[in-house]
Amino acid sequence: MPSLFDGLTSIGVDETGHGKGHTCITVVVDHERSRGIWARDGHGKDVFDLFLRRLTPERRARQGPQTPVEPVG
């Protein structure tokens, strides 16, 4: 079975909260295919690092140098 990460070239990451206590979720989408590929309760760098660890070393190497991410909006 192919992985949702196969052919991944461009992603979007969003963190959103809901309710008074702001229960948060982090969602990663594949921009090329317009579909969600990963989601996890929580927010911040530690949660996003969980996504990055799902990538194989070969996939991480293809991502090139890491560029700091700036929030939008």
Side-chain angles (χ1 to χ4, degrees):
M1 174 182 248
S3 167
L4 290 174
F5 303 143
D6 288 346
L8 191 59
T9 60
S10 177
I11 64 168
V13 181
D14 192 18
E15 299 171 339
T16 187
H18 177 56
K20 187 175 182 178
H22 293 287
T23 302
C24 294
I25 187 170
T26 298
V27 179
V28 178
V29 296
D30 177 343
H31 277 274
E32 298 295 318
R33 297 180 190 126
S34 300
R35 65 181 179 186
I37 58 170
W38 187 86
R40 182 76 173 221
D41 288 338
H43 67 283
K45 181 184 181 308
D46 291 339
V47 174
F48 187 65
D49 283 345
L50 294 173
F51 164 74
L52 294 177
R53 286 192 291 222
R54 294 288 309 264
L55 299 176
T56 64
E58 295 80 18
R59 285 194 179 108
R60 284 194 299 270
R62 284 191 300 232
Q63 300 307 309
Q66 296 300 309
T67 305
V69 176
E70 296 295 325
V72 176

